[in-house]
Amino acid sequence: GACMMDLIRTERLVLRRFRDADIPAITAALQDRDIVRMMPQMPWPYTRADAEQYVRDLAPSKPLGFAIEYDGTLIGSVGADIRLGYWLSRPAWCKGFASEASRGLLGYRFERDRSTLLSGHRVDNPGSRRVLEKLGFVDISQKSVHSFGEGADVKNQVMQLTHSAWEAEQ
């Protein structure tokens, strides 16, 4: 809609809406099981049809769902509609992009909606935990969820970020 923000710029990244041209890059990135297994709802194996469905049907319904672009290349996705979530292609790991993209989106989100935001990570994913802690998220509970990429139930740490905690981190 007209009120939908199409672009968020951070120091190194552009967060923008998904488009059909992203389908090959999304498909290629999500052939990596180490990415998919950290996101329980993600289909596995991940196919081009999954990417097409995401870009054409699912992404347009998410006002706060963005492609992450670095240097003209799609490197991942970040969203904060119900909960903060993100993935990055393997070449983009360990460069601070998850924190930078999340921070950019959270600033935009909290300007418009001050309600508490959820996120979480697999208990065996310390990298994601560090990102969320840096952003101000705190633990609230643990739950077991089924992971398609793992083919098994996995334990997830549920975390939350209040507007006041976010403000305190800035």
Side-chain angles (χ1 to χ4, degrees), residues 15-170:
L15 310 184
R16 59 161 176 80
R17 304 307 297 174
F18 284 95
R19 44 188 185 236
D20 275 6
D22 297 328
I23 290 168
I26 294 169
T27 306
L30 296 180
Q31 300 297 306
D32 189 329
R33 190 169 180 168
D34 286 339
I35 298 173
V36 173
R37 56 187 284 273
M38 291 303 166
M39 294 177 294
Q41 280 71 51
M42 190 73 79
W44 182 261
Y46 195 91
T47 65
R48 185 182 172 95
D50 293 316
E52 287 172 358
Q53 184 191 21
Y54 182 77
V55 169
R56 293 173 185 163
D57 302 333
L58 300 174
S61 72
K62 297 173 187 280
L64 293 184
F66 290 88
I68 305 171
E69 196 176 275
Y70 172 67
D71 210 15
T73 302
L74 179 121
I75 60 164
S77 171
V78 64
D81 288 296
I82 300 163
R83 51 202 303 278
L84 176 72
Y86 51 81
W87 61 264
L88 290 172
S89 61
R90 192 179 287 264
W93 289 6
C94 303
K95 297 182 167 73
F97 290 145
S99 298
E100 184 175 331
S102 297
R103 200 173 292 285
L105 181 51
L106 288 171
Y108 175 81
R109 194 262 191 191
F110 278 126
E111 281 170 24
R112 286 150 186 80
D113 178 355
R114 295 188 165 198
S115 64
T116 297
L117 189 64
L118 294 175
S119 190
H121 62 89
R122 277 184 54 158
V123 294
D124 58 355
N125 187 350
S128 221
R129 178 170 187 84
R130 279 194 301 276
V131 169
L132 294 169
E133 285 179 330
K134 274 195 290 191
L135 294 167
F137 281 86
V138 295
D139 291 341
I140 48 174
S141 63
Q142 286 192 352
K143 67 175 184 180
S144 190
V145 291
H146 186 77
S147 163
F148 295 108
E150 200 70 40
D153 287 350
V154 297
K155 188 159 279 193
N156 259 30
Q157 178 65 53
V158 183
M159 301 177 79
Q160 71 174 19
L161 176 63
T162 61
H163 177 257
S164 54
W166 167 255
E167 289 285 294
E169 293 289 321
Q170 300 318 298

